[in-house]
Amino acid sequence: MDRKIEKKKWTPKFIGMIVGSALLVGFIIYQLIFADSRSSMNVNMERITIATVKEGEFTDYIPVSGTIEPGEVFFLDALEGGNIQKIVRESGAFVKAGDTILILSNSKLQLEVMERESGLYFQLNNLRQVRLQLDQNDLNQQGQLAEIDYQISLLKPQYERFKELHEKKLVSDREYEEVREQYEYNVKRRKLTYEAYRNDSMSRVLQKRQLADSERRMNQSLNGVGHILDNLAVRAPITGQLSTEQIEIGQSISAGQRYGQIDILDKFKVRVPIDELYLPRVNTGLKGTFSFSGGTHEVEIGKIYPTVTAGRFEVDMFFTEEAPSGLRRGQTVRIRLELGESEQAVLLPTGGFYKDTGGNWVFVVNQEAGKAEKRNIRLGRKNPEFYEVIEGLQPGDKVIVSGYENFGKNEVLNLK
């Protein structure tokens, strides 16, 4: 008799399916909740550079190159034009104040000087003639007064005698009137002549003063004209090293033309071009240092030229102490120019990562896990060695500072 076989519910196959499904669901849940879903790539550690974040003193500075120049320069401009007749001092020679550098010749200028001297002498002679005429007029008026006084001295006693005799009726009225009229006429004449003489004398004093001033100015002009030819002998105005352009005997030099300079070599300065980006931050008084002959020397910005040319402006830096010996004009020095005071900060070494991230994020290394993970950060100031970390990193963190151009958009790097 056949017996109905009941189908088993928990067969090994069924149990296996349940277990497999549970494992699949669990894996999916793990991947969704616990597993790292970020994109990653494998990176060979020999091809990257890792640096450690540290806390230290941040110095805000930039490296610049400067050229050594004399502290003081006296430019040589020709006062008078002419042809070079003789070169007494060659370029590069050391000269003292008053030393002759060049001798020029200018026949046209010599002729002009002679004509001007002749004209001045002629005017001086005219002034002397005017002075003689004034003196002659003065003498003539004095002579007239003397003559009148003489007439009065003769007529006065006669007038007084005739007056007494007339009162005694010893002389006629006509004789008395003649003597009186002659006497009163000379008295009045003297008064008018003296008044004219006094006015003319005051005018003569003013004229003589003006003549004296004119004569003095003409003598000064004559003296100056005489020294014009002295300018054809070009002399050093100060003591220093002479630098001239390429000049030859017979060459023509125009009046006002610059033909060289004299450098005062006991003082030096450094002319430094700086990127226009730093113009708002550069002020007089900022200091810098450079190494020379085994020592470190400090310079300070004393003058700023705000004109920007080819993206750069220039400053003059002067030595805070005595300039080192051995410096030469035109020599180049590398200066560490400080833009601000030093401060304690968290420091991240500079590297190629910045051009790929803009300083907004970096890969931070987890050596125990053998990975490097992307982390957002914020950087502040920068110098050639370090970035100032504002947030996102702590001292001791290890960061990949080499370029990120090969990492794509991956967020995790598996370090091998």
Side-chain angles (χ1 to χ4, degrees), residues 357-395:
T357 70
N360 296 314
W361 57 272
V362 291
F363 280 110
V364 180
V365 176
N366 184 342
Q367 289 184 326
E368 294 180 358
K371 295 182 178 182
E373 300 176 348
K374 181 179 179 180
R375 183 187 301 179
N376 292 328
I377 64 172
R378 188 158 67 94
L379 302 179
R381 295 172 295 176
K382 171 187 178 296
N383 65 29
E385 298 175 297
F386 297 103
Y387 293 102
E388 178 188 27
V389 179
I390 297 177
E391 62 180 38
L393 294 173
Q394 298 296 326

Side-chain angles (χ1 to χ4, degrees), residues 222-233:
L222 190 61
N223 187 49
V225 170
H227 285 299
I228 289 178
L229 295 179
D230 294 341
N231 294 330
L232 294 178

Side-chain angles (χ1 to χ4, degrees), residues 8-28:
K8 294 183 178 181
K9 196 173 184 179
W10 297 97
T11 62
K13 182 177 180 181
F14 181 70
I15 293 173
M17 290 176 63
I18 292 175
V19 171
S21 298
L23 291 174
L24 179 61
V25 171
F27 177 76
I28 292 173

Side-chain angles (χ1 to χ4, degrees), residues 19-226:
V19 171
S21 298
L23 291 174
L24 179 61
V25 171
F27 177 76
I28 292 173
I29 293 174
Y30 175 79
Q31 290 293 330
L32 292 174
I33 299 176
F34 300 104
D36 190 350
S37 60
R38 295 174 296 177
S39 58
S40 64
M41 68 176 294
N42 297 329
V43 176
N44 189 338
M45 292 187 64
E46 294 180 354
R47 297 186 177 182
I48 61 175
T49 301
I50 300 175
T52 303
V53 178
K54 66 178 183 178
E55 185 173 2
E57 189 177 75
F58 179 84
T59 302
D60 191 6
Y61 77 93
I62 56 174
V64 292
S65 295
T67 304
I68 300 296
E69 294 186 357
E72 294 183 32
V73 176
F74 195 99
F75 292 104
L76 300 175
D77 298 334
L79 297 178
E80 300 292 343
N83 296 322
I84 299 176
Q85 182 177 352
K86 184 178 181 181
I87 300 175
V88 182
R89 295 288 191 277
E90 297 287 347
S91 180
F94 288 90
V95 295
K96 295 181 179 180
D99 286 352
T100 301
I101 300 173
L102 299 173
I103 296 178
L104 305 177
S105 64
N106 189 330
S107 56
K108 182 180 179 180
L109 179 64
Q110 291 173 333
L111 182 60
E112 290 177 355
V113 167
M114 292 174 61
E115 291 176 350
R116 291 173 65 179
E117 285 180 338
S118 298
L120 288 170
Y121 279 125
F122 179 77
Q123 293 180 36
L124 284 171
N125 288 331
N126 287 339
L127 290 177
R128 294 189 181 101
Q129 290 295 327
V130 173
R131 184 182 290 108
L132 288 174
Q133 290 177 1
L134 292 174
D135 292 339
Q136 187 66 41
N137 290 336
D138 183 66
L139 291 174
N140 290 337
Q141 288 182 318
Q142 290 184 24
Q144 291 177 6
L145 285 172
E147 177 65 25
I148 295 171
D149 288 337
Y150 173 71
Q151 293 294 330
I152 291 175
S153 66
L154 294 177
L155 292 170
K156 185 177 182 180
Q158 186 179 3
Y159 165 69
E160 290 175 349
R161 286 194 304 271
F162 271 65
K163 185 177 181 181
E164 291 178 3
L165 293 173
H166 182 263
E167 289 175 354
K168 296 178 180 180
K169 306 297 183 177
L170 297 176
V171 295
S172 63
D173 292 341
R174 185 178 61 81
E175 291 177 327
Y176 170 70
E177 292 294 333
E178 288 180 356
V179 173
R180 188 186 69 178
E181 288 177 359
Q182 289 180 10
Y183 172 71
E184 290 179 351
Y185 166 73
N186 280 281
V187 170
K188 186 180 293 184
R189 179 185 171 199
R190 188 192 188 285
K191 182 179 179 181
L192 294 174
T193 303
Y194 178 76
E195 188 70 23
Y197 172 72
R198 189 182 67 172
N199 292 335
D200 288 347
S201 295
M202 294 173 62
S203 178
R204 276 193 293 270
V205 170
L206 180 59
Q207 284 181 293
K208 284 185 175 182
R209 187 180 300 128
Q210 292 173 344
L211 288 173
D213 291 340
S214 297
E215 189 173 5
R216 183 171 57 256
R217 287 194 297 268
M218 286 185 185
N219 282 321
Q220 291 174 350
S221 298
L222 190 61
N223 187 49
V225 170

